[in-house]
Amino acid sequence: MTELAGARATGVGFSADSVLPALARDWLADGRPVVAATLVGVDGSAPLELGASMVVDGEGRIEGSVTGGCVEGALFEEARGVLAGGPARLLTYGISDGEAVGVGLMCGGTVQVLVAAVDEAARSALLAACAAIEAGEPAAVATLLEGPSAGARLAILPDGVAGTLGVAGLDHAVARDARGLLDQGISGVRRYGAGGEALGADLRVHVRAYQSAPSMIIFGAVDFSVAVARLARQLGYETTICDAREAFASSPRFSAVAEVVVDWPDRHLAGRTLTERDVVLVFTHDPKFDEPALTSALRSGAGYVGALGSRRTHAQRIARLRDAGVVEEDIARIAGPCGLDIGARSPDETAVSVLGEVIAHRARRGGGPLSGADGTIHAERPAAAIA
């Protein structure tokens, strides 16, 4: 069996659908018998994130996906066997495997999928994790990958745990480690002793960390802000539109897509704690707002700082920042004019351009056409050990 133990950072942010598809949550809440196929390991390239699930109920209905269609047909047959009373199965599919050719895994990677029935304890854990994420709280789901209790789940929540892994001592050790992984935004496989000892290697547990959504703060209540905020919410960002001019910010078109704050940029950012996952965009086109917004954004810890405007506008903006004492290293961090060069003109096209650059920055990609790029399409996971 291939062990895929490399930990990796989680993506942007998550909805409860990241844990279970909405209809599958209803099946669990109704007490239906279900089997979940969960993506617990990836080596190389795969279309979906770790933790993606496909759920099959007792009537053969399917919700969700683990690879976007590559192996779902084979997993459905495995799920039917588990529904008929078969044991949990940890399956590996890879481009080099003859079985993978049959099911059409064409992504060039290797995936490991656990197919297991969802018992009452696992049902409780999964629903509790979904509820926490819907409330905007971070959560983690730990899944036991082997042994008589394979498929058991433990939800690690801000105020405790739900479910159980079914091994004395293991819940405590995994919950402690999972909280550390949550702080780092890391998912991966951890090994424990048969009795839950932290230094053992008898049992493998997959821990999927679901972080709270990252922030995107847009300064300037303008048409472009509406377009960007609307699309950013679909990408998992908690969006804020901030403008010191109440007359501009009061339109309901802004509050329909984001939290609206009437304040000066530097004062608003002084009250926020931002991290590498967060984004600050400056759309104000007015020096008395631009400079405070950019200087404060550069000090805030935000991973991406962008400013909209023409090249001439940005050059003038940079000159004023230099005169204000902003060092070249910080100036170089500003994406300006922000966005990818796709010929965008309308607010909606500009939103695609700007958010395309935000995604490329997060993935450390250049943002050019895939047809002219080398290497894998999907971001590589860290190298995994082969057991």
Side-chain angles (χ1 to χ4, degrees):
M1 179 68 71
T2 300
E3 181 181 355
L4 303 167
R8 64 155 306 185
T10 56
V12 174
F14 294 93
S15 67
D17 286 351
S18 303
V19 182
L20 283 174
L23 185 55
R25 297 201 300 275
D26 292 341
W27 295 347
L28 289 183
D30 291 343
R32 298 186 192 182
V34 298
V35 166
T38 306
L39 183 63
V40 296
V42 172
D43 188 11
S45 179
L48 298 180
E49 293 282 347
L50 290 173
S53 291
M54 182 184 87
V55 180
V56 181
D57 77 351
E59 298 179 14
R61 287 176 289 196
I62 302 170
E63 281 295 317
S65 176
V66 296
T67 63
C70 294
V71 302
E72 274 67 8
L75 290 174
F76 175 70
E77 295 303 322
E78 297 288 350
R80 290 179 64 186
V82 174
L83 280 166
R89 299 197 62 190
L90 186 60
L91 304 164
T92 299
Y93 299 98
I95 192 63
S96 60
D97 298 335
E99 186 177 19
V101 174
V103 298
L105 181 60
M106 302 303 291
C107 298
T110 300
V111 297
Q112 199 167 58
V113 183
L114 178 70
V115 183
V118 179
D119 63 14
E120 287 305 313
R123 189 186 306 267
S124 171
L126 291 169
L127 291 175
C130 290
I133 293 168
E134 286 185 330
E137 300 172 337
V141 176
T143 305
L144 186 61
L145 299 184
E146 53 207 354
S149 299
R153 310 211 187 213
L154 179 73
I156 296 86
L157 311 167
D159 57 354
V161 299
T164 180
L165 297 175
V167 179
L170 187 58
D171 288 356
H172 176 73
V174 170
R176 180 193 58 226
D177 290 350
R179 294 192 190 284
L181 294 175
L182 262 175
D183 290 341
Q184 303 173 63
I186 295 293
S187 296
V189 175
R190 293 289 182 269
R191 285 183 175 272
Y192 300 88
E197 300 88 354
L199 298 179
D202 301 294
L203 297 174
R204 288 181 300 163
V205 177
H206 175 261
V207 180
R208 181 64 167 105
Y210 296 92
Q211 292 177 300
S212 55
S215 297
M216 178 176 291
I217 304 170
I218 307 170
F219 290 110
V222 297
D223 288 344
F224 294 99
S225 303
V226 174
V228 170
R230 182 188 300 117
L231 185 53
R233 287 206 308 184
Q234 296 180 42
L235 295 177
Y237 286 94
E238 293 286 349
T239 57
T240 300
I241 296 174
C242 180
D243 200 307
R245 304 163 296 185
E246 185 172 4
F248 284 76
S250 60
S251 170
R253 64 195 176 116
F254 299 113
S255 58
V257 296
E259 176 190 10
V260 176
V261 174
V262 178
D263 204 351
W264 285 87
D266 49 346
R267 189 164 57 190
H268 178 68
L269 285 178
R272 300 286 296 262
T273 300
L274 302 182
T275 70
E276 181 66 26
R277 302 168 65 231
D278 301 319
V279 174
V280 176
L281 299 172
V282 179
F283 290 178
T284 44
H285 294 89
D286 187 327
K288 67 177 177 289
F289 299 119
D290 282 9
E291 274 73 71
L294 288 169
T295 54
S296 298
L298 292 170
R299 293 193 298 264
S300 70
Y304 178 95
V305 178
L308 202 62
S310 68
R311 296 188 191 280
R312 179 179 178 183
T313 296
H314 189 62
Q316 294 171 343
R317 181 187 292 140
I318 294 303
R320 291 192 297 269
L321 290 173
R322 288 195 180 104
D323 290 343
V326 180
V327 300
E328 294 299 323
E329 182 179 359
D330 284 342
I331 288 174
R333 291 179 51 212
I334 303 171
C338 60
L340 299 179
D341 183 11
I342 60 173
R345 300 186 67 87
S346 69
D348 288 338
E349 290 175 345
T350 300
V352 172
S353 169
V354 171
L355 291 171
E357 185 176 52
V358 168
I359 294 169
H361 173 84
R362 186 183 73 225
R364 294 176 174 81
R365 295 298 183 99
L370 286 172
S371 59
D374 296 323
T376 61
I377 293 176
H378 302 287
E380 288 285 355
R381 278 75 172 174
I386 305 299

